[in-house]
Amino acid sequence: MSFASPNSLLLLFIVLPIVWYIGYPRMAFRKRRDTISLILRTVLVTLIVLAFAGIQIVHQVDRLAVIFLVDASDSIGTGLQEAQVDYIENAVLDKPIDDEWAVIVFGANATIDTPFSNVTDVPELQSTILGSNTNIEEALQTAISLFPANARRRIVVLSDGIQTIGNAEAKARLAEASGVEISYVLFARDITADTRISEFSAPARVNEGQEFDINISVQADAPTDATLLIYSNNELIDEADITLLEGSTNYTIRQTSDSTGFLNFSAQLVVDGENDTFTQNNTLGTFSQVVGPPRVMLLATDPTEIANLLPALEGAGLIVDVVDPANLPSDIGALAIYESVIIANVPASAISELQMQRIQTYVRDLGGGLVFIGGPESYGPGGYYQTTLEEVLPVETQIRDQERLPRLTIAYLIDSSGSMGISSDGLFSNLDVAQRAVNLSIDFLQPTDRAGVLTFESDGALVAPFQDVNDGVRLQEQVSRLGAGGGTDIIAGLETAERYIRQETTDIQHLILITDGGSSENRLVDKAFQLNDELGVTLSVIAIGGSSPQFLRTMSEVGGGNYHRVTNIAQIPNILAQETVLATRSYIEEGVIPLTRVSNNPMLDGIAGVPDVLGYVATTERETAQVVLRSPEPFGDPILATWQYGLGRTVAFTSDATGRWASEWVGWGDFSRVWGQIVNYSITENSGSNLETRVNMQDGVATIDVDARSELGNFINNLTLQASVITPDNQTESVTMQQIAPGRYTAEFEPDAEGAYYLTINGGGTVEGEDARFNEVSGWVMSYSPEYAITEPNQALLDDLASITGGDDLADNPAATFVTTQAPRTATAPIWQWMIIAAIALLPFDIAVRRIIITRRDWQRFRAWVSSGSGDDAPEERLSSLMAARDRARQRTSIGEQEESTLSTLRRVRNKDNTPSAPPLENPTTLQPPQAPRAIERDDTPPRTSGETVSNLLKRRRGEDKD
């Protein structure tokens, strides 16, 4: 017997004395009952404490539990899984009926494929694991934790023994201490020739314009022909057909660093023939950082937008790459070579959501700069409301002061003809896209605006009456009920819209036509012109589908609106935001606008005053933004603002950099200087210290080591550093670095994908007695796993695991799997629940002893009841006994009445004479009992005298009174 929590037994020494003290018998007449109650309570408390202590019975068990560890990593492949399952089937075929077995499949991770069972049917393997590594340690740990406590334990490893991560030997020692035996069966694929890139290196840091060498080593197990491809930032820079001999072959490629930033190199080997076991080891990467003057990217859709800005930036010493938004790279590595990105009057529709996300990551996690320059197609009018890029800016594109905005009525005219049921992208029908467009546009409206929804096919109809946008959800529900069907008559829809929109009294009326254009163009252009010319209703057209007729564009032009062609549903948010903003015409402020400097900032260092502008886009600054220039009251809109976004810094200039609004700036002598300072300010400052970053990979864990030294070569201590890691799939992970030695800081992360990783070391501290900030970016490439570099099985490791735990090689004897020399194990079975049941059963007896009083008469009645219930008398005898008892009761009742009458007379006489003695009886015979009934003739008792009768009556009365 044992206890799960033996310390709980100490409660007996605390509780029992209290129970004994309270329940000790103190009254003589209750002593027996209290003693019994005390004994019961002692037993009750003891049972409860034993249950609380987890009482359990210890016994020996002789059954065996076996866990098969099936290696499914890439080094062993899937071709041997059938043989592994066959071995398990042979092993369990003749096992003892009580023995159990389970299967765990492992690679880089481990999962339970078959839980413990004593059946002999072995199912096929179902688990999917990561095969890029072999982690025998994790598989052993999973098995040890799975074993039942009441069985002898054995692990059988079915593997090639190629361990790429983990420490299986250490886990085997834990298994030995836990009484687990490890045996093994070697399974290894046939050794075939493989070709792989074994080394690929480039200098970690080079100067701009410097020549440097890229070194490649290729390992071949057999002679073969191959093609070697070298890429730089995903662009092919070298291709060579090579002949490989058995062994290692080295190649060198000379390159010139012609641009600053990061160069992400990758080498790919294409092998001819069958001498290539793994394709995963045919690609390898490396990094180089080119140091030189700052390089920035300038995005523009119209060359006139940067005609003055580009020479100004180059005159400030910046290296500028002009890029069309269509060619904006969506790869974070291509952005990492730039210190800052400048966007000059580019509409949101020209930048995809993925590109916006990459810019966000570039600023937030790499510490890049962003300068956003205004114009008629930027900010709100450019459709940036509620976009990813708007989150990065220090200003919001929506005006908070709604009193500045005129009341707006928007009419949505939706084509619901049969052709709108066609899908342009295979996912959404044209009508689905139209409904989504309207629902998003309603979200952009203000509560004071009005909206109505109309539709047309062969005829026009009102779907949702024109109403204030107080309940946008109701409007959206009405739009969602539309279905496609019928012909297409746009003119009928326009005439229906005209009839209802004439009744609107708001400041601005705007009509948005959403159609695929499958209609006759008769009178459409004229109607669009009439709506705008006579009623002042502007008309915009959203053309949905792969192709659209020209007359739709013409309608938008004569209607004073915009034309949008939608082929991707992701474009709709930008388009609808732009339409809603442009409809009000109130986000663009034009005129001669003097600017007021409201705060000091390095962007305007040495600038005494700035010229006026002729226009800007109204925005609202964020709470934590710093506004440097404002427009005059009453609006006081931000013109130049900045803030810190993650590790980077963004600047918003709401006017433009052309002769349109900034004509006085273009001819200003400090034009080049101020724009150079603005862009340089967006580039995160770094201290004059060197941070050397290295990444080492071991057992699946990457360790970041940073050595910090000042320009004088001294160690920099007590820094607060944070490492941001950007993975190949653009996910960001932040880890805090700890100082482990003078000037050395370290942190760890677990990479899960091969490819290029970008690391930003950010933080601050004191350097040479002055405060300093750090924001240095470096790169690291995770190469292929050792799983694809090792071709020979490692039986020595499996032998070591078996020798540590007393196991053996079971390859030739599957039946020996369930034969063991291990001594039977002791197991425990909890019985605390029986203690609780016993305590519950005793509780009623304890209550009965204390609360229920059983007298001698109760026992007599109980015995009589038992006797009467167990007799065999005939019914006649029982009836005779009952009749006799009745007669005796009647006689006693008569005698009692006479005695009561006599006693009453005696009391009256005694009370009259004031003497306790009874007067002599004048007629004693009156007290004689009546003639006895025939039923009691056998009574031989002599007749009582009157004196005896009175005396007996008095005694009886006294006895009754006493009772």
Side-chain angles (χ1 to χ4, degrees):
M1 184 176 297
S2 63
F3 299 91
S5 179
N7 293 335
S8 300
L9 295 175
L10 296 175
L11 292 173
L12 290 174
F13 297 97
I14 300 174
V15 179
L16 285 181
I18 298 175
V19 173
W20 292 338
Y21 176 77
I22 295 175
Y24 185 78
R26 292 178 174 82
M27 298 182 182
F29 71 92
R30 292 175 55 92
K31 185 173 183 180
R32 180 182 300 174
R33 192 187 316 161
D34 289 347
T35 301
I36 296 174
S37 176
L38 181 60
I39 293 173
L40 288 175
R41 287 189 177 184
T42 300
V43 175
L44 278 171
V45 171
T46 303
L47 290 173
I48 293 173
V49 172
L50 290 177
F52 190 71
I55 187 171
Q56 49 195 6
I57 297 175
V58 180
H59 60 95
Q60 285 190 338
V61 292
D62 195 33
R63 66 190 184 97
L64 177 63
V66 177
I67 297 180
F68 296 95
L69 300 186
V70 178
D71 187 350
S73 63
D74 290 346
S75 64
I76 199 171
T78 58
L80 294 177
Q81 284 190 2
E82 184 177 349
Q84 291 170 318
V85 173
D86 289 342
Y87 181 89
I88 298 175
E89 289 178 345
N90 294 329
V92 304
L93 185 61
D94 297 322
K95 73 174 185 64
I97 190 170
D98 292 335
D99 289 354
E100 295 181 325
W101 60 275
V103 175
I104 293 177
V105 179
F106 73 96
N109 60 325
T111 183
I112 301 172
D113 190 84
T114 304
F116 271 111
S117 171
N118 58 7
V119 301
T120 56
D121 294 331
V122 180
E124 295 294 328
L125 301 180
Q126 301 294 328
S127 300
T128 301
I129 50 91
L130 300 174
S132 57
N133 276 295
T134 302
N135 192 344
I136 302 177
E137 177 187 6
E138 182 174 344
L140 293 176
Q141 177 61 55
T142 304
I144 293 172
S145 63
L146 185 63
F147 276 116
N150 56 353
R152 293 180 291 178
R153 308 170 182 180
R154 167 176 283 169
I155 294 175
V156 179
V157 183
L158 313 179
S159 172
D160 58 5
I162 298 177
Q163 175 183 236
T164 59
I165 57 176
N167 187 344
E169 292 90 340
K171 197 59 63 177
R173 295 185 182 91
L174 174 62
E176 192 273 336
S178 302
V180 179
E181 174 194 303
I182 300 177
S183 295
Y184 73 92
V185 178
L186 181 66
F187 281 89
R189 70 161 73 215
D190 295 335
I191 299 177
T192 57
D194 184 47
T195 305
R196 56 193 174 274
I197 300 176
S198 58
E199 184 179 353
F200 185 43
S201 62
R205 184 185 294 260
V206 295
N207 295 320
E208 185 178 11
Q210 175 184 344
E211 289 188 347
F212 62 96
D213 293 335
I214 301 175
N215 299 312
I216 307 105
S217 293
V218 179
Q219 186 76 28
D221 296 335
T224 186
D225 294 328
T227 301
L228 183 62
L229 306 175
I230 306 298
Y231 295 88
S232 175
N233 291 339
N234 298 323
E235 293 184 4
L236 183 64
I237 60 174
D238 191 82
E239 179 178 358
D241 295 327
I242 57 177
T243 299
L244 299 173
L245 302 177
E246 183 177 354
S248 181
T249 305
N250 298 323
Y251 295 91
T252 300
I253 298 176
R254 173 149 295 192
Q255 289 291 303
T256 301
S257 54
D258 55 358
S259 63
T260 59
F262 285 93
L263 297 178
N264 177 13
F265 295 105
S266 62
Q268 181 179 356
L269 191 68
V270 181
V271 180
D272 298 333
E274 299 179 353
N275 296 325
D276 197 19
T277 303
F278 298 112
T279 59
Q280 292 91 335
N281 56 18
N282 291 353
T283 303
L284 205 56
T286 188
F287 261 109
S288 282
Q289 184 176 5
V290 182
V291 181
R295 180 178 294 270
V296 299
M297 176 190 292
L298 179 57
L299 290 180
T301 55
D302 186 353
T304 60
E305 295 292 333
I306 59 173
N308 302 110
L309 181 63
L310 178 59
L313 295 176
E314 291 175 339
L318 298 171
I319 300 176
V320 184
D321 291 342
V322 179
V323 178
D324 186 272
N327 300 323
L328 177 64
S330 57
D331 178 31
I332 191 66
L335 288 176
I337 67 174
Y338 296 102
E339 301 288 342
S340 185
V341 174
I342 307 167
I343 302 177
N345 193 30
V346 176
S349 58
I351 306 175
S352 69
E353 176 63 21
L354 179 60
Q355 290 170 330
M356 289 188 183
Q357 292 175 359
R358 293 299 181 266
I359 294 176
Q360 181 186 47
T361 303
Y362 162 76
V363 176
R364 181 189 61 201
D365 302 319
L366 284 184
L370 175 64
V371 178
F372 200 85
I373 302 174
E377 294 185 301
S378 65
Y379 298 104
Y384 283 94
Y385 178 63
Q386 291 188 345
T387 62
T388 301
L389 202 54
E390 186 195 24
E391 299 177 14
V392 186
L393 299 178
V395 295
E396 298 176 3
T397 60
Q398 190 177 32
I399 300 176
R400 293 180 187 169
D401 184 8
Q402 300 302 324
E403 295 181 358
R404 296 174 55 179
L405 300 177
R407 291 191 67 200
L408 168 69
T409 295
I410 289 189
Y412 302 96
L413 183 57
I414 304 175
D415 183 353
S416 58
S417 63
S419 60
M420 290 290 286
I422 300 173
S423 175
S424 299
D425 58 3
L427 297 175
F428 301 96
S429 69
N430 293 339
L431 184 59
D432 291 335
V433 177
Q435 290 170 331
R436 178 174 173 82
V438 173
N439 290 338
L440 288 172
S441 180
I442 291 173
D443 287 336
F444 297 147
L445 297 176
Q446 303 301 321
T448 56
D449 292 333
R450 291 175 59 80
V453 181
L454 305 102
T455 185
F456 65 91
E457 38 188 66
S458 299
D459 198 2
L462 182 66
V463 176
F466 285 85
Q467 56 193 285
D468 293 341
V469 188
N470 294 320
D471 188 1
V473 175
R474 184 164 173 258
L475 273 170
Q476 292 167 338
E477 290 176 351
Q478 292 172 317
V479 173
S480 300
R481 297 193 188 105
L482 287 175
T488 306
D489 192 349
I490 299 178
I491 192 65
L494 290 176
E495 290 174 347
T496 304
E498 178 185 7
R499 186 166 62 252
Y500 286 101
I501 207 168
R502 280 180 178 274
Q503 305 172 19
E504 292 299 307
T505 59
T506 54
D507 302 319
I508 299 174
Q509 289 89 38
H510 185 56
L511 177 62
I512 300 178
L513 171 62
I514 307 175
T515 180
D516 59 1
S519 171
S520 170
E521 62 176 311
N522 185 31
R523 296 195 301 123
L524 290 179
V525 175
D526 293 339
K527 178 57 70 174
F529 177 78
Q530 178 190 351
L531 288 172
N532 183 252
D533 185 58
E534 297 180 5
L535 302 180
V537 177
T538 54
L539 172 66
S540 290
V541 178
I542 298 179
I544 298 176
S547 62
S548 58
Q550 177 62 34
F551 66 82
L552 293 179
R553 181 184 295 273
T554 307
M555 288 174 62
S556 64
E557 292 174 354
V558 301
N562 304 289
Y563 174 79
H564 308 279
R565 180 180 171 187
V566 176
T567 58
N568 183 358
I569 197 171
Q571 298 173 282
I572 290 178
N574 296 340
I575 292 173
L576 268 298
Q578 184 178 9
E579 276 301 306
T580 307
V581 170
L582 290 178
T584 66
R585 304 293 182 185
S586 298
Y587 278 73
I588 296 177
E589 300 289 342
E590 292 183 319
V592 178
I593 303 170
L595 304 181
T596 304
R597 184 171 180 174
V598 294
S599 64
N600 293 322
N601 186 278
M603 289 185 289
L604 297 183
D605 281 349
I607 306 297
V610 296
D612 299 340
V613 295
L614 301 180
Y616 67 91
V617 180
T619 59
T620 304
E621 72 269 14
R622 300 187 186 273
E623 292 184 0
T624 57
Q626 180 191 17
V627 179
V628 182
L629 295 176
R630 283 191 185 276
S631 68
E633 295 297 337
F635 300 139
D637 293 323
I639 303 298
L640 179 63
T642 183
W643 77 335
Q644 188 79 22
Y645 183 76
L647 301 180
R649 187 179 291 160
T650 65
V651 177
F653 186 71
T654 60
S655 187
D656 65 7
T658 70
R660 181 194 306 108
W661 290 342
S663 57
E664 295 189 25
W665 282 57
V666 171
W668 180 35
D670 287 330
F671 182 71
S672 177
R673 175 180 179 178
V674 73
W675 278 112
Q677 291 181 175
I678 289 174
V679 174
N680 280 315
Y681 177 78
S682 71
I683 300 172
T684 306
E685 297 177 359
N686 191 22
S687 68
S689 306
N690 296 322
L691 296 183
E692 182 181 348
T693 305
R694 298 179 306 277
V695 180
N696 297 311
M697 181 81 169
Q698 185 176 5
D699 291 340
V701 178
T703 302
I704 306 172
D705 291 322
V706 174
D707 288 330
R709 290 178 178 270
S710 67
E711 290 293 331
L712 300 178
N714 299 322
F715 292 118
I716 306 176
N717 299 315
N718 303 319
L719 295 177
T720 302
L721 297 179
Q722 191 85 4
S724 295
V725 182
I726 302 177
T727 65
D729 56 355
N730 202 47
Q731 300 298 315
T732 302
E733 178 182 355
S734 296
V735 291
T736 301
M737 307 201 70
Q738 304 292 334
Q739 184 171 2
I740 60 172
R744 173 161 293 186
Y745 303 82
T746 187
E748 294 180 348
F749 70 98
E750 296 184 9
D752 56 2
E754 298 175 10
Y757 289 75
Y758 291 88
L759 300 95
T760 302
I761 309 301
N762 179 267
T766 302
V767 179
E768 307 294 349
E770 297 182 359
D771 292 338
R773 295 292 304 173
F774 301 91
N775 188 59
E776 294 207 5
V777 181
S778 60
W780 170 72
V781 174
M782 178 179 173
S783 62
Y784 57 81
S785 167
E787 189 82 11
Y788 310 113
I790 304 173
T791 58
E792 295 286 341
N794 188 2
Q795 186 171 358
L797 172 64
L798 300 177
D799 283 333
D800 291 342
L801 300 181
S803 62
I804 291 174
T805 60
D808 201 356
D809 181 359
L810 302 179
D812 299 328
N813 191 7
T817 302
F818 287 89
V819 178
T820 180
T821 59
Q822 288 180 325
R825 294 179 61 87
T826 58
T828 58
I831 59 172
W832 60 266
Q833 60 270 28
W834 296 108
M835 301 293 105
I836 297 295
I837 294 173
I840 294 174
L842 286 177
L843 183 60
F845 292 96
D846 177 53
I847 296 174
V849 169
R850 291 185 287 108
R851 298 297 182 186
I852 301 176
I853 300 176
I854 302 176
T855 63
R856 185 179 300 170
R857 189 172 181 180
D858 295 328
W859 284 109
Q860 292 173 351
R861 290 176 179 174
F862 177 73
R863 286 196 299 269
W865 176 77
V866 172
S867 299
S868 63
S870 61
D872 296 329
D873 297 339
E876 294 78 4
E877 293 178 354
R878 293 182 181 178
L879 181 60
S880 177
S881 299
L882 292 173
M883 295 293 291
R886 183 193 66 179
D887 293 340
R888 287 195 298 272
R890 288 177 177 175
Q891 181 183 1
R892 292 193 187 98
T893 303
S894 176
I895 294 174
E897 291 176 351
Q898 293 180 12
E899 290 176 346
E900 183 66 28
S901 176
T902 303
L903 288 173
S904 299
T905 303
L906 290 174
R907 290 192 184 99
R908 286 196 301 269
V909 172
R910 182 182 61 180
N911 294 336
K912 183 176 181 182
D913 296 339
N914 292 324
T915 63
S917 59
L921 298 174
E922 295 180 358
N923 189 10
T925 59
T926 60
L927 298 176
Q928 294 297 324
Q931 185 68 29
R934 186 175 300 176
I936 57 174
E937 291 178 352
R938 293 179 297 176
D939 189 286
D940 297 330
T941 303
R944 293 177 293 176
T945 64
S946 61
E948 291 174 340
T949 301
V950 173
S951 176
N952 290 336
L953 289 173
L954 290 174
K955 289 180 180 180
R956 182 181 297 176
R957 173 59 61 187
R958 292 189 188 102
E960 291 175 353
D961 293 341
K962 182 180 297 184
D963 293 339

